[in-house]
Amino acid sequence: MENEENKTLVAEEQAEAKKSPEKQPLSKGVITAFSLMGTAIVGLTGALIITNLPDTVPTENPTASTTAVSGTTVSVTASDTTSTSPNGTEASADTTTAQTTIQTTTPSSETKETTASQTKADTTTATQTNAVTAETEAVKDGILIEYSVDNSWESGNETMQGVQFGITNNSGSSVSGWKLVLEIEGLSSCQGWNGTYTVNGSKLEITNAEYNGDIGNGGTVVVGCNLGTTSSFKVKSATLNGTACDVKAGKVDQNAQNNQNNNNQNNQQNNSQPAVDVSKLLERSENAVQGDDWLYTDGNRIVDKDGKAVWLTGVNWFGYNTGTNTFDGLWNSQLKPSVEAIANHGFNLIRVPISAELINQWAKGEYPRANYNNAYNTELNDMNSLEIFEYFLKLAEEKGIKVMPDIHSAETDASGHNVNLWYTSKISAEDFYSALEWMADRYKDNDTIIAYDLKNEPHGKPHEGDGAAIWNDSTDANNWKYVAETAAARILAKNPNVLILVEGTEIYPIDLSSNSDYHSTNKDDYYFNWWGGNLRGVKDYPVNLGQYQNKLVYSPHDYGPTVYKQPWFEGNYTFDSLMKDCWKDNWFYIHEENTAPLLIGEWGGFMREPNLTWMTYMRQLIKENKLNHTFWCFNANSGDTGGLVLDDFTTWDEEKYAFVKEVLWQDNGKFVGLDHAIPLGDNGITLSEAKGIE
């Protein structure tokens, strides 16, 4: 919609539904898609694969396998949990349809939360503790099913629960092959891992994976899932291989079980595996040259130390913001090959969503557990979550990739991006500043990190008052422009070499003469755009970084009608109409007027209509103007956009990749990296070899 002054307005409800892969609660009408994570994990024996997902769901039904267990008893007790209820999930997919026969599926994207101040468990201690710590004394004879509900959240008409189940064999004999059947009140959907899951009415059937079918006497197998119900969670009955089981709420720890299983196996082989030399793994590439890759701005271009114009063409990979405390997808894939694949496919930058809370925990020496497949990523098992992040930096450097942390949320929370501002009742504005400052100081001598995206999508609506992000010349606590300048100053005081990315807001006053302080609560007095996409304020109140102005990059986000059908998508929209109704006045004018460079921090979606037309126009805009960008996203589990990889996080979506490849920096058929000494992957060249963007 436009008024006579060509001012685009978005209705409050439309602006509320806003946007991106993680950000669209189903209740707002956003079309999300469930990525069923279903690749079977095979060929792994003797060790339980641990997918310690922070929000595993509470119900599992192993049903018959090849060998029945006789004389086992299991009682069913309602879950006694106090889970957190997020407002939505980043990649929570349409969970209204129950899935059947889901092989070793992965959890939906950012449906996880972490426990604050959870420190890395000592490996030796972990191997000596039981994987399941019961709230009451365990059953002595038979099969005990213990579960813990780690969190819950609302998704449309469903209540989702993240649950882990421990199946403990106290029957006196070994189990070889198992099938767990759980009858769950109001069961509607399930995604699970470490087994094959089938939803049949109110019954959930879980059959063992190839690697965890044997449960010795006294042994425990742990499985987990994200499970949807239409009523309060309640397990009505449970059987293992057709025999009734005792079920009770407890504390299920997949990491401890994995360590215990590995230790038992090593003892049986009388061949304990040596610990990994973490310091050796974290050593930076011998080919790296420190300090030669810092970037600067020159008008609307980003340039290297020699003034050569560069093109940042990257990808997003989330997980550090959700409670996974590492990258999502490592429950099905391996870190090192994943980083190598990103480089080989030509992405020269990875934007890493992360929470301020997690960074501050690291700063205090607290290391919340990273949740990944321990059997697939054995080299990570002796590392804490910070060390895993720094190992990632080392892997990225070895392949010529640069990294840009993004404070995606204040708190570690899959739905944390829905919070309007950079602070909450738990994480203060000072905590936000401190997180950025600590990272800047810690990595000031590592030019793998070349930029910081200060905060993902500050937003808020007129009626939210002080709770909405604004942009003016005040020092108000909710003035994003002022906060961005403050945060940038603290980063640059520690490391004056990094780029600073500043996103936009959601609203901006139409008439500054009467409403520059945002006192009006009438939506008709404001321009609206996607969260993070409204940079109209730059024209009136540009960000001032003082002597470091050549480090400033503005970073809007933009999405298509699959995420939300904004007014500019009505009718037969065109490239020109998108430019007129949305792009130009909200942020493209910054490029046209040579004010500063742009980096579109998020864009992407499904390769189908009504999204594909918008995607094609956005790619055209990026290509014609060589706009820097980070595509959303690598993750398969982004509910309203999908990802560059499929559910196994290893197989690439070749159609989508071919589409994006057209806007990756290439020189004579070779991908161009941002490192002067190390080429980008196996198919790329160094920045020194490239001729630069014209």
Side-chain angles (χ1 to χ4, degrees):
M1 298 185 299
E2 289 186 305
N3 61 16
E4 66 280 0
E5 298 180 58
N6 189 32
K7 296 172 179 176
T8 302
L9 295 175
V10 182
E12 180 177 1
E13 180 181 357
Q14 294 166 322
E16 192 171 77
K18 147 304 101 178
K19 63 135 284 179
S20 105
E22 0 140 337
K23 337 194 169 320
Q24 213 46 28
L26 294 173
S27 60
K28 298 298 182 185
V30 177
I31 302 174
T32 56
F34 222 145
S35 293
L36 298 181
M37 316 294 169
T39 301
I41 305 173
V42 296
L44 298 172
T45 58
L48 172 64
I49 293 186
I50 300 228
T51 340
N52 333 306
L53 302 171
D55 28 85
T56 32
V57 190
T59 90
E60 264 41 44
N61 314 356
T63 341
S65 191
T66 54
T67 304
V69 180
S70 59
T72 57
T73 346
V74 191
S75 64
V76 180
T77 309
S79 168
D80 178 16
T81 56
T82 54
S83 353
T84 311
S85 299
N87 295 327
T89 64
E90 172 140 3
S92 110
D94 182 0
T95 57
T96 57
T97 304
Q99 291 103 41
T100 60
T101 317
I102 305 172
Q103 272 245 32
T104 316
T105 56
T106 57
S108 21
S109 84
E110 300 195 27
T111 58
K112 310 162 188 72
E113 294 181 349
T114 190
T115 301
S117 306
Q118 180 183 11
T119 58
K120 177 188 178 185
D122 180 86
T123 303
T124 303
T125 303
T127 59
Q128 296 172 350
T129 59
N130 291 328
V132 180
T133 304
E135 294 177 349
T136 59
E137 186 179 358
V139 174
K140 299 300 183 184
D141 299 313
I143 301 292
L144 171 65
I145 310 297
E146 255 178 320
Y147 66 86
S148 59
V149 181
D150 298 326
N151 71 340
S152 66
W153 64 98
E154 299 302 316
S155 179
N157 296 324
E158 287 187 306
T159 298
M160 301 297 297
Q161 291 93 185
V163 187
Q164 297 186 80
F165 289 89
I167 307 170
T168 299
N169 178 15
N170 293 321
S171 66
S173 60
S174 296
V175 174
S176 180
W178 51 264
K179 184 178 182 182
L180 177 66
V181 178
L182 300 173
E183 185 177 4
I184 300 168
E185 192 169 291
L187 177 64
S188 55
S189 64
C190 182
Q191 290 181 293
W193 46 96
N194 290 347
T196 300
Y197 292 70
T198 303
V199 173
N200 185 7
S202 63
K203 292 185 177 180
L204 174 63
E205 300 178 356
I206 310 170
T207 304
N208 64 271
E210 180 176 345
Y211 53 83
N212 63 2
D214 294 332
I215 313 175
N217 186 42
T220 300
V221 160
V222 177
V223 296
C225 62
N226 288 338
L227 181 143
T229 61
T230 56
S231 59
S232 299
F233 174 69
K234 181 180 180 181
V235 181
K236 300 174 71 175
S237 66
T239 61
L240 187 74
N241 293 348
T243 302
C245 303
D246 275 342
V247 179
K248 65 180 178 182
K251 177 61 179 176
V252 180
D253 185 346
Q254 289 182 314
N255 269 337
Q257 176 59 33
N258 185 69
N259 290 329
Q260 186 178 42
N261 286 352
N262 287 334
N263 190 55
N264 290 342
Q265 183 184 22
N266 290 335
N267 289 340
Q268 291 169 6
Q269 297 173 345
N270 196 26
N271 179 28
S272 297
Q273 297 295 319
V276 171
D277 185 345
V278 173
S279 61
K280 184 71 175 176
L281 280 179
L282 296 183
E283 286 181 3
R284 295 179 60 185
S285 171
E286 59 184 18
N287 298 320
V289 177
Q290 172 56 39
D292 64 330
D293 296 331
W294 302 120
L295 299 174
Y296 309 84
T297 69
D298 180 10
N300 62 14
R301 304 183 308 164
I302 298 176
V303 300
D304 74 351
K305 59 185 178 62
D306 302 316
K308 179 188 294 184
V310 302
W311 193 11
L312 280 62
T313 57
V315 67
N316 288 267
W317 189 3
F318 62 77
Y320 276 98
N321 54 313
T322 67
T324 301
N325 300 321
T326 185
F327 295 106
D328 276 8
L330 295 184
W331 48 74
N332 259 3
S333 61
Q334 296 172 291
L335 178 59
K336 185 175 180 179
S338 296
V339 174
E340 291 173 347
I342 291 172
N344 292 340
H345 281 80
F347 295 90
N348 59 26
L349 177 68
I350 300 178
R351 180 176 181 255
V352 181
I354 194 169
S355 73
E357 180 179 10
L358 177 61
I359 296 170
N360 286 328
Q361 287 174 313
W362 286 346
K364 292 186 293 186
E366 300 171 358
Y367 309 105
R369 185 179 63 208
N371 299 295
Y372 60 91
N373 187 322
N374 301 64
Y376 278 11
N377 295 274
T378 56
E379 76 277 18
L380 308 184
N381 291 343
D382 290 309
M383 299 183 193
N384 62 42
S385 52
L386 173 59
E387 289 169 334
I388 292 174
F389 176 75
E390 294 182 340
Y391 180 56
F392 156 72
L393 293 180
K394 178 256 186 78
L395 295 175
E397 182 177 65
E398 286 182 338
K399 291 299 176 180
I401 302 176
K402 297 302 180 181
V403 173
M404 177 172 66
D406 143 53
I407 302 294
H408 211 68
S409 57
E411 298 180 25
T412 302
D413 188 335
S415 60
H417 57 277
N418 289 320
V419 175
N420 291 359
L421 304 176
W422 41 94
Y423 58 87
T424 67
S425 59
K426 181 179 179 181
I427 303 297
S428 67
E430 178 57 32
D431 292 333
F432 164 73
Y433 294 136
S434 296
L436 288 165
E437 193 173 38
W438 181 84
M439 286 203 86
D441 187 49
R442 185 174 181 89
Y443 302 112
K444 61 188 175 186
D445 296 323
N446 188 341
D447 61 5
T448 304
I449 295 182
I450 58 166
Y452 289 92
D453 187 343
L454 299 181
K455 174 65 181 75
N456 182 69
E457 300 174 355
H459 60 278
K461 298 168 184 52
H463 70 269
E464 295 179 281
D466 293 344
I470 64 173
W471 188 300
N472 59 20
D473 60 353
S474 72
T475 58
D476 293 345
N478 62 325
N479 178 14
W480 172 234
K481 184 255 187 185
Y482 169 72
V483 169
E485 291 173 341
T486 304
R490 292 180 65 161
I491 289 172
L492 294 167
K494 297 295 184 181
N495 182 359
N497 297 304
V498 290
L499 295 176
I500 300 296
L501 273 74
V502 179
E503 299 186 29
T505 56
E506 180 182 1
I507 59 173
Y508 193 70
I510 292 175
D511 186 353
L512 288 178
S513 64
S514 63
N515 192 34
S516 63
D517 62 355
Y518 292 72
H519 69 269
S520 173
T521 59
N522 185 347
K523 67 179 184 295
D524 295 331
D525 290 335
Y526 295 89
Y527 300 106
F528 285 79
N529 196 25
W530 298 106
W531 295 355
N534 195 330
L535 282 162
R536 291 172 182 263
V538 173
K539 185 182 293 291
D540 304 304
Y541 309 105
V543 170
N544 182 4
L545 300 188
Q547 62 177 317
Y548 300 117
Q549 199 65 20
N550 67 346
K551 292 294 182 178
L552 175 63
V553 178
Y554 290 107
S555 186
H557 291 182
D558 200 80
Y559 280 95
T562 300
V563 172
Y564 189 76
K565 193 167 184 179
Q566 300 279 15
W568 44 87
F569 296 129
E570 294 176 0
N572 296 318
Y573 66 92
T574 65
F575 180 92
D576 290 338
S577 71
L578 288 173
M579 180 63 74
K580 176 186 175 185
D581 296 339
C582 180
W583 295 338
K584 183 180 178 68
D585 291 336
N586 279 307
W587 45 265
F588 188 68
Y589 75 92
I590 296 172
H591 175 84
E592 283 189 320
E593 297 175 8
N594 210 34
T595 302
L598 293 173
L599 187 151
I600 302 174
E602 293 183 17
W603 71 285
F606 295 112
M607 297 290 292
R608 61 173 183 259
E609 297 298 356
N611 200 65
L612 188 55
T613 296
W614 167 82
M615 286 247 306
T616 304
Y617 289 147
M618 174 55 71
R619 183 182 63 178
Q620 177 184 342
L621 180 70
I622 291 171
K623 188 174 184 177
E624 290 177 352
N625 297 278
K626 294 298 187 290
L627 298 182
N628 306 286
H629 66 95
T630 48
F631 185 79
W632 189 277
C633 58
F634 177 75
N635 300 61
N637 58 332
S638 180
D640 54 3
T641 67
L644 284 166
V645 290
L646 304 181
D647 295 346
D648 61 1
F649 273 79
T650 300
T651 305
W652 283 65
D653 182 332
E654 294 299 338
E655 180 189 15
K656 181 177 283 191
Y657 170 66
F659 181 91
V660 180
K661 184 179 178 181
E662 288 194 22
V663 284
L664 299 181
W665 189 10
Q666 299 174 63
D667 188 339
N668 291 324
K670 293 287 187 179
F671 296 118
V672 182
L674 302 172
D675 194 295
H676 287 84
I678 302 176
L680 180 61
D682 297 335
N683 308 309
I685 60 176
T686 66
L687 184 53
S688 299
E689 298 172 280
K691 60 185 178 184
I693 296 297
E694 297 179 358

